[in-house]
Amino acid sequence: MPRLPCPPRPARGFTLVEVLVALFIMAILAGMAWQGIDGLVRTRDGAAGNTEASLRLSNVMAQWEQDLNQIQQSSAAPGLRYDGSALRMTRRTPDGIQIVVWTLQGSDWYRWASPPVTRIQDLQEWWLRSQQWTAMSADALKMLEGVSGLQVYYYWNAWSNAQSTGDKVVVPSSNTPPPPNPEDGSGGSGSGNEPPQNTAVANEDQLPGGVRLVLTLPNGVLTRDLAIHPSI
């Protein structure tokens, strides 16, 4: 006796609840994947930014050291001056002598350089111009941003604030006795304004033995010392 064919089973699909549950699970997985990718991108961008900032700081310090290493002693303009916000110097180049200024304006550190000149009158004119920020701001190059503090020290057998040197600097030698104490009556005769024996008096035309730069940056404090070897 022949078998009767089985009746076809009705097609069964996904219910609405099953579809919603599947979509919810996929949304969670997509969100977790996005967070992971976003974290990787942020880490990459942060590393690239730190590398770029380190490279820029390294280049700025290289330029700073190059300028100080090429200071030129000249009777036409001071070799080195610091007024609290700007360090000015005369620098030798293959084409002549130029004035270089490193100045802090707000929270930005700028470098400005005059054209190389060979005439004393031109050098003196550029030196006067370098004392006016408005006269050189258009040509100044922004070296660093976010500088919240800048200090410069000179070395005269000991580090001292560059602004405290004035017209004369008493440079103690290694065997200089300590200064007299007015409270115990020591110190001998005299007005008290004379420098102690075995000292040297440096005027504004003399260069210090070294320059110390202290920069307060967003990531910390940078200190850089450099010996001065002027060209005569």
Side-chain angles (χ1 to χ4, degrees), residues 83-165:
D83 61 7
S85 62
L87 184 72
R88 297 175 176 84
M89 65 190 78
T90 54
R91 173 179 181 262
R92 71 181 183 275
T93 69
D95 298 326
I97 306 298
Q98 67 177 167
I99 307 299
V100 175
V101 181
W102 290 79
T103 179
L104 182 64
Q105 300 293 326
S107 60
D108 298 328
W109 200 29
Y110 290 86
R111 179 184 182 270
W112 174 87
S114 71
V117 297
T118 56
R119 298 174 53 195
I120 293 178
Q121 182 179 356
D122 295 337
L123 183 63
Q124 292 174 341
E125 290 179 356
W126 280 111
W127 179 266
L128 293 176
R129 180 178 177 180
S130 70
Q131 301 180 39
Q132 302 176 3
W133 170 244
T134 55
M136 59 181 181
S137 59
D139 300 323
L141 178 63
K142 184 186 296 186
M143 306 299 287
L144 289 177
E145 299 178 349
V147 180
S148 57
L150 182 148
Q151 292 178 317
V152 176
Y153 299 89
Y154 289 165
Y155 186 80
W156 306 98
N157 285 347
W159 290 107
S160 62
N161 193 309
Q163 287 186 276
S164 65
T165 57

Side-chain angles (χ1 to χ4, degrees), residues 30-91:
M32 294 175 61
W34 172 254
Q35 289 181 354
I37 295 175
D38 184 65
L40 292 176
V41 172
R42 289 178 181 271
T43 302
R44 183 199 63 185
D45 293 343
N50 291 335
T51 301
E52 182 179 356
S54 299
L55 181 60
R56 180 176 180 84
L57 182 59
S58 178
N59 291 336
V60 170
M61 289 296 98
Q63 182 64 64
W64 167 266
E65 294 182 3
Q66 182 180 10
D67 289 343
L68 289 175
N69 283 329
Q70 295 178 342
I71 288 180
Q72 174 72 52
Q73 289 279 54
S74 172
S75 59
L80 192 64
R81 286 291 184 276
Y82 180 66
D83 61 7
S85 62
L87 184 72
R88 297 175 176 84
M89 65 190 78
T90 54
R91 173 179 181 262

